[in-house]
Amino acid sequence: MATEWTDYQAKTHTFLADGNYVAAFGIYSGVYKITGKAMTASFAHLYRLEDGKIMTMEQYVDSASVMSALA
């Protein structure tokens, strides 16, 4: 990400836990170097844990916001 974006950040604002699952919600932001366009995109990550270690991770993102910065 650092090679393609300037000031790229992922800021989590909410965590929810249920047993071995943790969901994280937040905002990605940054400026795409090639176009100079900024973006902010909501995200959700769903983690499945075993023995305190992340076993799987699913990522959901507002890809329209990201694609707009790329064009």
Side-chain angles (χ1 to χ4, degrees):
M1 301 301 285
T3 61
E4 297 177 353
W5 295 86
T6 302
D7 299 324
Y8 187 85
Q9 297 182 32
K11 291 188 176 182
T12 304
H13 55 69
T14 304
F15 291 96
L16 301 173
D18 184 15
N20 287 337
Y21 289 89
V22 175
F25 301 90
I27 303 291
Y28 292 134
S29 63
V31 177
Y32 191 57
K33 288 180 180 180
I34 293 173
T35 64
K37 293 181 182 178
M39 69 87 185
T40 58
S42 297
F43 72 79
H45 296 168
L46 179 61
Y47 301 94
R48 182 177 60 83
L49 302 132
E50 286 182 16
D51 298 322
K53 296 181 181 180
I54 297 170
M55 302 308 291
T56 63
M57 182 264 211
E58 294 178 47
Q59 176 188 38
Y60 304 89
V61 64
D62 176 6
S63 57
S65 298
V66 177
M67 295 306 294
S68 181
L70 301 178

